Amino acid sequence: MDELHWKTAITSVEPNRIALRGYPIDRLMGTISFSQGIYLALKGELPDEKIGRMIDAILVSSIDHGATPPSILAARTVASTGAPLSSAIAAGVLAISRLHGGAIEEGMEQMLSVARRADAEKISEAEAAARVVAEAKATKKRLSGFGHRIHTDDPRSKRLFDPSGELCLAGRHLNIAAALEEALAASSGKRLPLNVDGAIAAVLCDLGFPTSVANAFFILSRVAGMVAHIEEERHREKPMRRIHPSDHEYDGPTGREVK
Amino acid sequence: MDELHWKTAITSVEPNRIALRGYPIDRLMGTISFSQGIYLALKGELPDEKIGRMIDAILVSSIDHGATPPSILAARTVASTGAPLSSAIAAGVLAISRLHGGAIEEGMEQMLSVARRADAEKISEAEAAARVVAEAKATKKRLSGFGHRIHTDDPRSKRLFDPSGELCLAGRHLNIAAALEEALAASSGKRLPLNVDGAIAAVLCDLGFPTSVANAFFILSRVAGMVAHIEEERHREKPMRRIHPSDHEYDGPTGREVK
Amino acid sequence: MDELHWKTAITSVEPNRIALRGYPIDRLMGTISFSQGIYLALKGELPDEKIGRMIDAILVSSIDHGATPPSILAARTVASTGAPLSSAIAAGVLAISRLHGGAIEEGMEQMLSVARRADAEKISEAEAAARVVAEAKATKKRLSGFGHRIHTDDPRSKRLFDPSGELCLAGRHLNIAAALEEALAASSGKRLPLNVDGAIAAVLCDLGFPTSVANAFFILSRVAGMVAHIEEERHREKPMRRIHPSDHEYDGPTGREVK
Amino acid sequence: MDELHWKTAITSVEPNRIALRGYPIDRLMGTISFSQGIYLALKGELPDEKIGRMIDAILVSSIDHGATPPSILAARTVASTGAPLSSAIAAGVLAISRLHGGAIEEGMEQMLSVARRADAEKISEAEAAARVVAEAKATKKRLSGFGHRIHTDDPRSKRLFDPSGELCLAGRHLNIAAALEEALAASSGKRLPLNVDGAIAAVLCDLGFPTSVANAFFILSRVAGMVAHIEEERHREKPMRRIHPSDHEYDGPTGREVK
């Protein structure tokens, strides 16, 4: 045994036997969804179906948002030079950082700090949210997870939180997100609705994920869209073209309905 | 309109309206699985549930294979320096190339060439497979997708192809994979069973995916396991430790059963 | 000793003693240039001053070519999201592939094949070059290293090969490059002068470098320019701006003279 | 003119005329060293020869430090999978982050804060250094740039600061580095000499570089060593081997002398 011997609790591999978090992987195949598998890999426990569907909804929500985000432009730019798929994906992933995707992690931190504050100071979540918003205003810090450059009423966050919907987990951090939105509106006189990053942040808090994996969900989801863009760049465009970051139009199918 | 104006058929984005391949994304959320969403992003069409389950099975199969593969070691090595999540993931993705994960793309090319050859030369798939194996032998080229360093009988490929299972698509390239395995055994006198890369290759051929996206499925799947390893590295190990590539042991739960 | 014990011939590290290819690194510092150090690291031998100056000239030639190349756009796009320096550089490096920078490697392969052919078929280099050009024409393969989208007469390749200049190594592959340019003009009726990639390819062949390190010189050189662009993006532009790939103008100092 | 029109002050490109920071690049070739070119790209001014030699010394100092640093292990791990050069380099660069190479940036920030404090509080640099060290101790923050896991007396920092040497710039931040070393020894009772990261930090402060480019010098320098390791991995080792992070030995030339 080498002095560098170490331990891992993720996967055991023996001849003809692979177990993820203790479950034979061939038994998981065909039984659980990829989303449940992601949850199992990260948390070490199999989620029930309701949580599995919530992870599915989160991961579907962020697959793509058109060709303007920097992750897509970086991936297309690298793909355009004839680079392999993994290089184009890696470049796109590197663009998912503080200002692009990072709002999920910051949003989680805010919501967790409202919860901690409500507990520590024995005040309501509404009061704790008001104090966090007041402090952010005093230090000129912008709150993450509210408002959107394009959408005044983000259909994705609405869907995640529709109380009549079967998705909604109705956890504590959903209430905190609503309290923050309220406090923000009271403080600024302008309502900035929870955006999809903020909504995902609240769900990940409710599911007990640490902030350090926040970006993983956005990255996993967006890599799927990225591959679609890389493929389109390879098959539809000339190599080494100059890629305009916003002057493009959609010419695919429209008005399709989900049954 | 800029002279660089261009078109894309993936996602349309208007205020409060985002549509992936023509479907409102908020309607997809809660209705389809992430795996179906990936298929939709890449192919432009919603898969039926059977295909959705097959994509789920493929993506679950490759989430993780322990801490020895280079993608995991590269990701852990970068995570160990205090780098952000996206940097560690990007490094891991870059290790998925010709010799690691690449067998899926090569396997697809082989199977497609057997199919083309059977059609062009009006011979059986068994005969076409035998010719492809003979040529590979003559040029000392190794066939991809057969045999495994550790598993003599890969439980993952068995699961994907169990004819009694509900997963099996029973498509043409499954037959071709079997024909190649047979021809290989006849030629070398030694049976190398189809491994998980070969099995995924056959399924992707049957689903009509181009070889250029082959690695995307492996990358998407393995990024999930990568995040679990990055998190474990960050929370369980000392920063900047020296990571032994193989002298580690599993100490997580064992013997769990999927209900 | 672990069964994975291995050997390396690059650098020995002992307490208070570091030697690169056998030379104490503190003795190299202040004595050799970085370019000579790069040569030493890659070849294992210290170059003389003339070769050191040639490496300097190559590395200076490719530091930057404005903001339009994909490596710069990828690096700026990632920098614009608030990502760390190493992430932006990594994304830029990933854009240096087959169609961007890759002409150096392909150019080297062509020149080496002309040399091998002249030797094997006992013909002149001019004749070997003509045969290589004819075959490329027959198979519709484009020769790398000739012509430029913007420059009809690349000042950088002229400088590397000016026979009156002190830089010029006047080696065999310089002659081969000239023979290829000649054969190309005879075959197409149009003169495409050797570009900077082709010139660097000829020099690297003359210096005995393997084709596998060809891109290393371009990458090392361009990373310097990339850092200048990343810094400019961070300090001069708004975060998350949309970066037009070509509609920009130069507003720095002009008409400066090198003494 | 597109509404996204923007400006850059790095390089102007016209047909047959490329100027870096206003200097024709073909005139720079053969006249300045690569190190001077890097300084020009980053600062916008040509350095004199003394500064050029200092940049050379810095860049030579960090070319390589053996096969154990995570940047080298990440690069070798990716190279071992058959990935292209740019992928292996990108993975290596991504490992240069907070705990590996990051000490240069942190060291610069400390030295600049000592200088600001001495100016603002009208105290000596020795006194300012003592206060910075005391505060670091109180908040259990480790100072960057002092001490080394292997070297008790780093030959590289000695070389950069040898007052009898022609390299030494004898600037303010050299004094501050010495004052910090002194204050640290007085506070802890143990002398931790300035390491190479700390020495480079002091030089970069003296040369007026912003902290945001600190890592660029380390990255540029180490990419050179990285390429040597990638090449050695490709040509000397089996693909997909398991790379022990420390159990390797040097078998190259020894005892060579720089004339």
Side-chain angles (χ1 to χ4, degrees):
Chain A
M1 195 159 75
D2 196 281
E3 55 162 348
L4 297 179
H5 184 79
W6 57 286
K7 293 178 180 176
T8 173
I10 301 169
T11 303
S12 63
V13 178
E14 294 161 43
N16 305 329
R17 214 167 175 291
I18 305 156
L20 176 64
R21 301 289 190 183
Y23 293 101
I25 210 157
D26 51 309
R27 294 293 303 133
L28 294 171
M29 292 167 63
T31 309
I32 65 168
S33 69
F34 181 37
S35 293
Q36 288 174 300
I38 293 169
Y39 184 102
L40 172 63
L42 297 185
K43 296 267 284 187
E45 300 298 329
L46 270 180
D48 62 29
E49 278 190 33
K50 189 181 167 73
I51 291 177
R53 270 200 307 276
M54 184 45 124
I55 304 286
D56 269 320
I58 287 176
L59 292 170
V60 167
S61 75
S62 301
I63 287 178
D64 199 41
H65 194 264
T68 50
S71 52
I72 298 305
L73 289 169
R76 278 186 177 262
T77 299
V78 169
S80 169
T81 68
L85 183 62
S86 58
S87 298
I89 292 176
V93 167
L94 290 170
I96 298 178
S97 67
R98 194 163 51 84
L99 302 171
H100 176 32
I104 300 176
E105 187 171 342
E106 287 168 18
M108 284 180 79
E109 279 158 11
Q110 284 159 21
M111 291 171 198
L112 293 172
S113 88
V114 169
R116 272 195 308 268
R117 191 149 187 173
D119 293 346
E121 305 180 14
K122 293 186 203 306
I123 52 178
S124 69
E125 281 153 11
E127 179 56 29
R131 293 186 190 176
V132 163
V133 166
E135 280 177 13
K137 199 177 181 178
T139 56
K140 298 200 167 150
K141 227 187 133 278
R142 229 178 117 274
L143 259 80
S144 290
F146 298 92
H148 196 281
R149 206 168 33 83
I150 298 175
H151 311 299
T152 52
D153 194 15
D154 197 316
R156 298 166 296 178
S157 36
K158 267 168 75 177
R159 177 77 170 160
L160 283 178
F161 281 139
D162 178 5
S164 73
E166 69 277 45
L167 274 178
C168 182
L169 295 173
R172 182 184 191 186
H173 300 88
L174 164 60
N175 291 334
I176 288 175
L180 279 169
E181 188 179 315
E182 211 59 52
L184 212 53
S187 158
S188 70
K190 204 178 106 191
R191 180 163 295 271
L192 286 177
L194 193 70
N195 60 30
V196 69
D197 292 335
I200 293 175
V203 174
L204 295 179
C205 286
D206 279 342
L207 294 177
F209 281 102
T211 57
S212 52
V213 301
N215 281 9
F217 290 91
F218 185 70
I219 290 171
L220 271 161
S221 178
R222 189 55 53 91
V223 166
M226 217 177 266
V227 175
H229 282 279
I230 292 165
E231 278 291 288
E232 196 182 58
E233 184 68 32
R234 286 169 162 179
H235 297 301
R236 189 171 182 177
E237 304 289 344
K238 283 195 197 142
M240 295 292 283
R241 73 166 173 129
R242 291 176 172 176
I243 305 174
H244 195 290
S246 53
D247 193 2
H248 50 254
E249 70 185 283
Y250 177 75
D251 71 346
T254 55
R256 296 165 103 179
E257 273 177 43
V258 185
K259 263 149 281 187
Chain B
M1 195 157 77
D2 197 280
E3 54 161 349
L4 297 178
H5 185 79
W6 57 287
K7 292 177 180 178
T8 173
I10 301 170
T11 303
S12 63
V13 178
E14 294 162 43
N16 305 328
R17 213 165 175 295
I18 305 155
L20 176 64
R21 301 288 189 183
Y23 294 101
I25 210 158
D26 51 309
R27 295 292 306 131
L28 294 171
M29 293 166 62
T31 308
I32 64 169
S33 68
F34 181 39
S35 293
Q36 287 173 302
I38 293 168
Y39 184 100
L40 173 63
L42 297 184
K43 295 268 283 187
E45 301 298 330
L46 270 181
D48 62 29
E49 277 191 34
K50 189 180 166 73
I51 291 177
R53 270 201 307 275
M54 185 44 127
I55 304 286
D56 270 321
I58 287 176
L59 291 170
V60 167
S61 76
S62 301
I63 287 179
D64 199 43
H65 194 264
T68 49
S71 52
I72 298 305
L73 290 169
R76 279 186 176 262
T77 299
V78 170
S80 169
T81 68
L85 183 62
S86 58
S87 298
I89 291 176
V93 167
L94 290 169
I96 298 177
S97 68
R98 195 163 51 83
L99 302 171
H100 175 34
I104 300 176
E105 187 172 340
E106 288 169 17
M108 284 181 78
E109 279 157 11
Q110 284 159 22
M111 292 171 198
L112 293 171
S113 87
V114 169
R116 273 194 307 269
R117 191 150 189 173
D119 292 347
E121 304 180 17
K122 293 188 203 308
I123 52 178
S124 70
E125 282 153 9
E127 179 57 28
R131 293 188 189 175
V132 163
V133 166
E135 281 176 15
K137 199 177 182 178
T139 57
K140 298 198 169 153
K141 227 186 133 276
R142 231 178 114 274
L143 260 81
S144 290
F146 298 91
H148 195 282
R149 204 168 34 82
I150 298 175
H151 310 298
T152 51
D153 193 14
D154 196 316
R156 299 167 295 179
S157 36
K158 267 168 75 177
R159 178 75 169 161
L160 283 177
F161 281 139
D162 178 6
S164 73
E166 70 276 47
L167 275 177
C168 183
L169 296 171
R172 181 183 192 188
H173 300 87
L174 164 58
N175 291 334
I176 289 175
L180 279 168
E181 187 179 314
E182 210 59 50
L184 212 54
S187 159
S188 70
K190 203 177 107 192
R191 180 163 294 271
L192 286 177
L194 193 69
N195 60 30
V196 69
D197 292 335
I200 293 175
V203 173
L204 294 179
C205 287
D206 279 342
L207 294 177
F209 281 102
T211 56
S212 51
V213 301
N215 281 8
F217 290 91
F218 185 69
I219 290 172
L220 271 162
S221 178
R222 190 53 55 91
V223 166
M226 219 177 264
V227 175
H229 282 280
I230 292 166
E231 277 290 289
E232 195 181 59
E233 184 67 32
R234 286 169 161 179
H235 298 300
R236 188 171 182 177
E237 303 291 344
K238 283 195 197 143
M240 296 291 283
R241 72 166 174 131
R242 292 176 172 177
I243 305 175
H244 195 290
S246 53
D247 193 3
H248 50 254
E249 70 186 286
Y250 177 75
D251 69 348
T254 55
R256 294 165 105 180
E257 274 176 42
V258 185
K259 265 149 281 188
Chain C
M1 197 157 74
D2 195 280
E3 53 159 351
L4 297 178
H5 184 79
W6 56 287
K7 293 178 180 177
T8 174
I10 301 170
T11 303
S12 62
V13 178
E14 294 161 42
N16 304 329
R17 215 167 175 292
I18 305 155
L20 176 64
R21 300 290 189 183
Y23 293 102
I25 210 158
D26 51 309
R27 295 292 306 131
L28 295 171
M29 292 166 63
T31 309
I32 64 168
S33 68
F34 181 38
S35 293
Q36 288 173 300
I38 292 168
Y39 184 100
L40 173 63
L42 297 184
K43 295 268 283 188
E45 301 297 330
L46 270 181
D48 62 30
E49 277 192 33
K50 190 181 167 70
I51 291 177
R53 268 200 308 276
M54 186 43 127
I55 303 286
D56 270 321
I58 287 177
L59 291 170
V60 167
S61 76
S62 301
I63 287 178
D64 199 42
H65 194 264
T68 50
S71 52
I72 299 304
L73 290 169
R76 278 186 177 262
T77 299
V78 170
S80 168
T81 68
L85 183 62
S86 58
S87 298
I89 291 175
V93 167
L94 290 170
I96 298 177
S97 68
R98 193 162 51 83
L99 302 171
H100 176 32
I104 300 176
E105 187 171 341
E106 287 169 17
M108 285 181 77
E109 277 158 11
Q110 284 160 20
M111 292 170 197
L112 294 171
S113 88
V114 169
R116 273 195 306 269
R117 191 148 186 173
D119 293 347
E121 304 180 16
K122 293 189 202 306
I123 53 178
S124 70
E125 281 153 10
E127 179 57 27
R131 292 187 190 175
V132 163
V133 166
E135 281 177 12
K137 199 178 182 178
T139 57
K140 298 199 167 153
K141 232 189 129 273
R142 233 179 113 272
L143 259 80
S144 290
F146 299 92
H148 196 281
R149 206 167 33 81
I150 298 176
H151 311 298
T152 53
D153 193 14
D154 197 317
R156 298 165 296 178
S157 36
K158 268 168 74 176
R159 178 75 170 160
L160 284 177
F161 281 138
D162 177 5
S164 72
E166 69 278 46
L167 274 179
C168 183
L169 296 172
R172 179 183 194 188
H173 300 87
L174 164 59
N175 291 334
I176 288 174
L180 278 168
E181 188 179 314
E182 211 58 52
L184 212 52
S187 158
S188 71
K190 204 177 106 191
R191 181 164 294 272
L192 286 176
L194 193 70
N195 60 30
V196 68
D197 292 335
I200 293 176
V203 174
L204 294 180
C205 287
D206 279 342
L207 294 178
F209 280 102
T211 56
S212 51
V213 300
N215 281 9
F217 290 91
F218 185 70
I219 290 171
L220 271 162
S221 177
R222 188 54 55 92
V223 167
M226 217 177 265
V227 176
H229 282 280
I230 293 166
E231 277 292 288
E232 195 179 59
E233 184 67 32
R234 285 170 162 178
H235 297 301
R236 189 172 182 177
E237 303 290 345
K238 282 195 196 142
M240 294 292 283
R241 72 167 173 129
R242 290 174 174 179
I243 305 175
H244 196 290
S246 53
D247 193 3
H248 52 254
E249 71 186 286
Y250 177 74
D251 70 347
T254 56
R256 296 165 102 178
E257 274 176 43
V258 185
K259 265 150 282 189
Chain D
M1 197 159 75
D2 196 282
E3 54 160 350
L4 297 179
H5 184 79
W6 56 287
K7 293 178 180 177
T8 174
I10 301 170
T11 303
S12 63
V13 178
E14 293 162 44
N16 305 329
R17 214 169 176 292
I18 304 155
L20 176 64
R21 301 288 190 184
Y23 294 101
I25 210 157
D26 50 309
R27 295 291 305 130
L28 294 171
M29 292 166 62
T31 309
I32 64 169
S33 68
F34 181 39
S35 292
Q36 288 174 300
I38 293 168
Y39 184 101
L40 173 63
L42 297 184
K43 296 267 283 188
E45 303 296 331
L46 270 180
D48 62 28
E49 277 191 34
K50 188 180 167 70
I51 291 177
R53 269 201 306 277
M54 185 42 127
I55 304 286
D56 269 321
I58 287 176
L59 292 171
V60 167
S61 76
S62 302
I63 287 178
D64 199 42
H65 193 265
T68 50
S71 52
I72 298 306
L73 289 169
R76 279 186 177 262
T77 299
V78 169
S80 167
T81 67
L85 183 61
S86 58
S87 297
I89 291 176
V93 167
L94 290 169
I96 298 178
S97 68
R98 194 162 52 82
L99 302 171
H100 176 32
I104 301 176
E105 186 172 341
E106 288 169 16
M108 284 181 78
E109 277 158 11
Q110 284 159 21
M111 291 170 198
L112 293 172
S113 88
V114 169
R116 273 196 308 270
R117 190 149 187 173
D119 293 347
E121 304 180 13
K122 295 188 202 306
I123 51 178
S124 69
E125 283 153 8
E127 178 58 26
R131 292 186 191 177
V132 163
V133 166
E135 280 177 14
K137 198 175 182 180
T139 57
K140 298 199 167 151
K141 230 188 131 275
R142 234 179 111 272
L143 259 80
S144 289
F146 298 91
H148 195 283
R149 205 167 35 80
I150 298 174
H151 310 298
T152 52
D153 194 13
D154 196 316
R156 298 166 296 177
S157 37
K158 267 169 75 177
R159 179 76 171 158
L160 283 177
F161 280 140
D162 177 6
S164 72
E166 69 277 48
L167 274 178
C168 183
L169 296 172
R172 180 183 194 188
H173 300 86
L174 165 59
N175 291 335
I176 288 175
L180 279 169
E181 187 179 315
E182 210 59 50
L184 211 53
S187 159
S188 71
K190 204 177 105 191
R191 181 163 294 272
L192 285 177
L194 194 70
N195 60 31
V196 69
D197 292 335
I200 293 176
V203 174
L204 294 180
C205 286
D206 279 342
L207 293 177
F209 280 102
T211 56
S212 51
V213 301
N215 281 10
F217 290 91
F218 185 70
I219 290 171
L220 271 162
S221 177
R222 189 54 54 93
V223 167
M226 219 177 267
V227 175
H229 282 280
I230 293 166
E231 278 291 288
E232 195 180 59
E233 184 68 30
R234 285 169 162 179
H235 298 300
R236 188 171 182 176
E237 303 290 344
K238 283 198 197 140
M240 296 291 284
R241 73 168 174 130
R242 293 177 171 175
I243 306 174
H244 196 289
S246 53
D247 193 3
H248 51 253
E249 70 186 285
Y250 177 75
D251 70 347
T254 55
R256 295 166 103 178
E257 274 177 43
V258 185
K259 266 150 281 188

